[in-house]
Amino acid sequence: MATSMRVSVIGTGYLGATHAAAMAELGFEVTGVDVDPAKVDLLASGRVPFFEPGLPELLQKHLATGRLRFTTDLAAAVADADIHFICVGTPQQAGSSAANLDYVEVAVAAVARAMSRDGLVVGKSTVPVGTGERLRVLLAALTPEGVAAELVWNPEFLREGRAVEDTLRPDRIVIGGASPAAEAMLREVYATPIAAGTPVITCDLPTAELVKVSANAFLATKISFINAIAELCEAAGADVTVLADALGHDARIGRRFLNAGLGFGGGCLPKDIRALTHRAGELGAPQIASLMRRVDEINMRQRERVVELAIAACDGSVLDARIAVLGAAFKPDTDDVRDSPALSVAAALHLRGAQVSVYDPAAGETGRRTFPTLTFAASTAEAVRGADVVLVLTEWPEFVDASPVALAELARGRTVIDARNCLDADAWRAAGWTLHALGRGAPADVRSVVFA
Ligand code: UDX
């Protein structure tokens, strides 16, 4: 589909780079803008500064079609476009649980000043409810005389590792606060997924902002719920993985996001539930604030549980123990280590004097940058060689499929902690390993339940 609509995408991180490439795939002329010249150069040469399956291919395809460009020159990109997507980050503020909105404000202000013709500013970043209204005031104040600008919110729900698929074929499109003309423009932008059946929900600005935040809050709650049940399973000698399968058959519950283990991390869920807690407090809605606080606490406790299991496996002290950590990314199929539970555990064990060797198929480099004091191995075998205890902290297929027999020959000890409930426990035990999992006691550990 060829169209005359021109698009600028402000911010080229996970969200923006994927959105820019997807917009080109949908047939638009796209310019991606970032303040980081190194990132722009890399993207312009068809390389992606992070690991995202399928994205390099899509990027290269549209650099070749000529529909996709990258630049640091925001003013030129904006002056030349009709629709401007705000895709910058909203990380947690230093010293607060609130979101840092500086990047969003700076981006909207810069777009406003650079607009040379009427246009639509579309917020995609995850923001605390009420942000869009404030940005509208900013936009109106800074747009040049005679230029009409409208701001709407169209939150993005993409998952890292599935970003391309989620952007091209989203499971819903939410459009908040749009005039009929703005809605028509966005329906044109998303004509392909809409024709393929993706539902469109139109609503006011605060509802659109809250849909995104609530989606992440619900997912986080599901994970902490199953982790709380996992604790009970351990106490009762039950198996949380079987329980989750059984729960999942109830269509009202569903099986997804019921994997018990080390819990959630990454650049979204943790900071989004904290920002929600903060914003709910500001707005006088204490119930969700206290619920999210518990969800967060239960989640962070899982990291301590794994550290405690490792200490117990080393007879009470990890000092000088050799510990293999398999996994550094916050989940498989990404090299993102932001708030990674795996690296939190590795660092905590290092702090207690363990010799920790970390291996991750994609996140070795990002992990090393974040925790330069940890040792990073080049392979599973290198990490496991001579280890007293093996910890599986990210469920990469490479670890799930690893041979417990081969690894038993490399390790010094025979204890494995399966913190993601991803290993074939029977196969590992048959190979001579003592396997500990979260919410799944070893058959021998199962205690009889005492009735009070
Ligand atoms: C999330 C949301 O899914 C996405 O819709 C939103 O746009 C951004 O935030 P992402 O951060 O990419 O996406 O990761 P996600 O796949 O949601 O996983 C989050 C964390 O939860 C990971 O650390 C993962 O290991 C953990 N998780 C997930 C569990 O512990 N158990 C589960 O059952 C599922």
Side-chain angles (χ1 to χ4, degrees):
M1 181 188 67
T3 168
S4 56
M5 192 152 31
R6 300 177 82 92
V7 173
S8 79
V9 176
I10 316 301
T12 60
Y14 287 95
L15 168 55
T18 312
H19 190 68
M23 288 294 101
E25 174 74 7
L26 294 180
F28 302 100
E29 295 282 327
V30 185
T31 308
V33 182
D34 206 286
V35 291
D36 180 349
K39 202 186 268 182
V40 164
D41 285 349
L42 215 59
L43 289 164
S45 69
R47 285 169 297 160
V48 179
F50 46 85
F51 176 78
E52 186 59 49
L55 186 54
E57 292 78 0
L58 197 65
L59 196 73
Q60 284 152 20
K61 178 176 169 191
H62 291 296
L63 289 168
T65 60
R67 290 210 289 269
L68 183 58
R69 278 174 296 272
F70 291 94
T71 180
T72 53
D73 189 348
L74 180 140
V78 168
D80 201 29
D82 311 285
I83 181 161
H84 316 282
F85 288 97
I86 306 296
C87 296
V88 294
T90 51
Q92 190 174 335
Q93 260 179 37
S96 163
S97 58
N100 176 353
L101 298 175
D102 291 353
Y103 304 111
V104 173
E105 281 172 12
V106 167
V108 170
V111 169
R113 290 195 184 95
M115 284 175 76
S116 63
R117 56 177 188 258
D118 294 356
L120 184 60
V121 179
V122 184
K124 292 202 77 71
S125 312
T126 304
V127 291
V129 59
T131 304
E133 205 52 62
R134 272 175 43 208
L135 294 173
R136 277 189 169 166
V137 175
L138 190 72
L139 185 68
L142 297 176
T143 314
E145 278 284 317
V147 171
E150 181 173 346
L151 182 133
V152 301
W153 222 260
N154 166 227
E156 179 57 58
F157 300 94
L158 67 81
R159 296 160 294 176
E160 287 174 26
R162 304 274 180 280
V164 170
E165 175 68 18
D166 284 353
T167 308
L168 287 173
R169 279 170 284 277
D171 46 25
R172 77 286 216 191
I173 293 167
V174 175
I175 301 174
S179 67
E183 184 184 329
M185 253 174 121
L186 278 172
R187 282 183 181 274
E188 189 184 335
V189 164
Y190 296 118
T192 307
I194 292 171
T198 300
V200 178
I201 291 105
T202 54
C203 55
D204 53 42
L205 205 48
T207 304
E209 292 168 322
L210 264 184
V211 168
K212 172 57 191 285
V213 173
S214 314
N216 278 355
F218 187 76
L219 294 173
T221 305
K222 234 180 145 179
I223 299 168
S224 281
F225 171 82
I226 201 67
N227 281 331
I229 292 288
E231 181 189 48
L232 178 59
C233 285
E234 272 176 45
D239 184 332
V240 73
T241 62
V242 179
L243 180 137
D245 289 344
L247 287 183
H249 286 295
D250 184 332
R252 294 169 303 174
I253 299 174
R255 179 62 181 82
R256 293 162 80 188
F257 278 70
L258 282 183
N259 292 328
L262 188 47
F264 59 82
C268 294
L269 260 47
K271 66 111 177 152
D272 287 349
I273 62 167
R274 288 173 196 155
L276 172 57
T277 306
H278 186 90
R279 189 70 182 128
E282 284 178 347
L283 292 173
Q287 302 301 338
I288 188 68
S290 60
L291 180 61
M292 285 305 111
R293 203 180 298 279
R294 281 303 291 142
V295 165
D296 203 355
E297 280 166 356
I298 292 168
N299 189 54
M300 297 310 280
R301 168 79 190 125
Q302 295 306 99
R303 304 179 189 192
E304 282 171 37
R305 282 270 297 126
V306 174
V307 171
E308 285 164 8
L309 279 176
I311 293 171
C314 296
D315 297 325
S317 170
V318 291
L319 187 70
D320 274 338
R322 294 173 71 163
I323 296 184
V325 164
L326 300 182
F330 81 98
K331 66 173 189 178
D333 288 328
T334 178
D335 64 354
D336 195 350
V337 296
R338 285 176 294 171
D339 201 356
S340 167
L343 279 185
S344 291
V345 169
L349 292 170
H350 174 74
L351 198 68
R352 287 167 174 77
Q355 297 170 31
V356 182
S357 183
V358 185
Y359 169 66
D360 189 285
E365 212 30 62
T366 47
R368 201 192 310 270
R369 261 184 265 141
T370 313
F371 281 103
T373 47
L374 289 173
T375 302
F376 285 85
S379 65
T380 302
E382 192 184 313
V384 170
R385 191 168 292 119
D388 297 302
V389 181
V390 175
L391 270 59
V392 180
L393 304 186
T394 312
E395 66 276 35
W396 282 97
E398 191 174 328
F399 305 146
V400 177
D401 299 337
S403 156
V405 176
L407 294 183
E409 279 166 23
L410 293 171
R412 188 159 70 183
R414 292 286 180 282
T415 303
V416 60
I417 297 173
D418 177 11
R420 290 291 182 184
N421 283 310
C422 62
L423 302 180
D424 178 344
D426 292 339
W428 280 74
R429 291 193 176 113
W433 291 88
T434 301
L435 181 141
H436 298 285
L438 296 176
R440 245 185 339 156
D445 296 343
V446 172
R447 280 174 272 150
S448 59
V449 182
V450 179
F451 290 92

